[in-house]
Amino acid sequence: MAAAQKFVWSFPASSALLMRIEKLFLIILAVFVYIFTWTQMGRQFFAALVATSFFVGIYIIISYGLQKLRGAEEKYNLTKTHLHLHKKTKRKSVKAKVALKDISRHKLDHTFLGGYVITKKGEKHLLFFNSKKESMKFDKWLKKHIK
């Protein structure tokens, strides 16, 4: 069985509504909204719960609308020699090709599914992943093929 010749992924996945860091931020804000509403409404549990649910609902609707309006999509193609990046929005498209031998440093956050690579020229390229499995596979692939 031959080894894989490339690793390809795109971000965001169609099934992902919010990024992990955004979910954490939303949870923290929801707790603050709940506590504030609970204290201001005379410690009424149901009123605080309704206000918090309303806040979370509005946040998700606005976030989804902005995602669709902006239309951002990023495609990554990692081969044995190069990392191809294609970032596009509705108005702009940027392509970059980075040789793996030119990467001087990389850093990945497997919790919040992001990271970056820095080339020897000082260029920084941001990376985003849909799952921890993708980020771990990228890290393993990069460590294996980087010289």
Side-chain angles (χ1 to χ4, degrees):
M1 184 171 152
Q5 298 295 316
K6 63 182 179 177
F7 173 46
V8 179
W9 78 98
S10 63
F11 179 84
S14 59
S15 62
L17 183 62
L18 300 171
M19 295 186 297
R20 280 192 179 182
I21 190 125
E22 194 175 10
K23 288 176 188 175
L24 177 68
F25 181 70
L26 181 57
I27 289 169
I28 292 168
L29 280 178
V31 167
F32 283 131
V33 167
Y34 177 81
I35 291 170
F36 180 77
T37 307
W38 186 65
T39 58
Q40 295 299 314
M41 299 290 274
R43 303 191 189 283
Q44 293 180 5
F45 172 77
F46 186 70
L49 189 63
V50 168
T52 305
S53 300
F54 187 67
F55 167 75
V56 170
I58 288 175
Y59 184 94
I60 289 173
I61 290 169
I62 290 172
S63 176
Y64 180 76
L66 288 174
Q67 283 178 2
K68 293 302 176 192
L69 182 67
R70 187 163 180 253
E73 183 180 11
E74 301 187 20
K75 293 184 180 182
Y76 304 94
N77 185 356
L78 184 62
T79 65
K80 290 182 179 182
T81 58
H82 288 86
L83 171 63
H84 301 269
L85 304 125
H86 183 203
K87 300 179 180 199
K88 67 178 186 174
T89 61
K90 286 193 176 185
R91 296 189 177 117
K92 188 167 120 177
S93 180
V94 177
K95 291 184 180 182
K97 183 177 178 181
V98 180
L100 295 184
K101 65 180 181 179
D102 291 339
I103 295 176
S104 64
R105 183 175 172 198
H106 75 284
K107 177 81 172 165
L108 300 176
D109 184 349
H110 299 296
T111 305
F112 293 116
L113 306 175
Y116 61 86
V117 293
I118 297 178
T119 64
K120 292 177 182 173
K121 296 177 184 177
E123 299 169 333
K124 186 175 184 178
H125 299 282
L126 300 177
L127 306 168
F128 301 100
F129 303 96
N130 295 307
S131 67
K132 187 174 183 176
K133 183 179 175 184
E134 277 182 358
S135 67
M136 297 293 272
K137 186 174 180 181
F138 175 82
D139 196 26
K140 185 178 176 184
W141 184 286
L142 206 58
K143 286 178 181 176
K144 179 180 178 185
H145 291 82
I146 206 166
K147 303 280 188 262

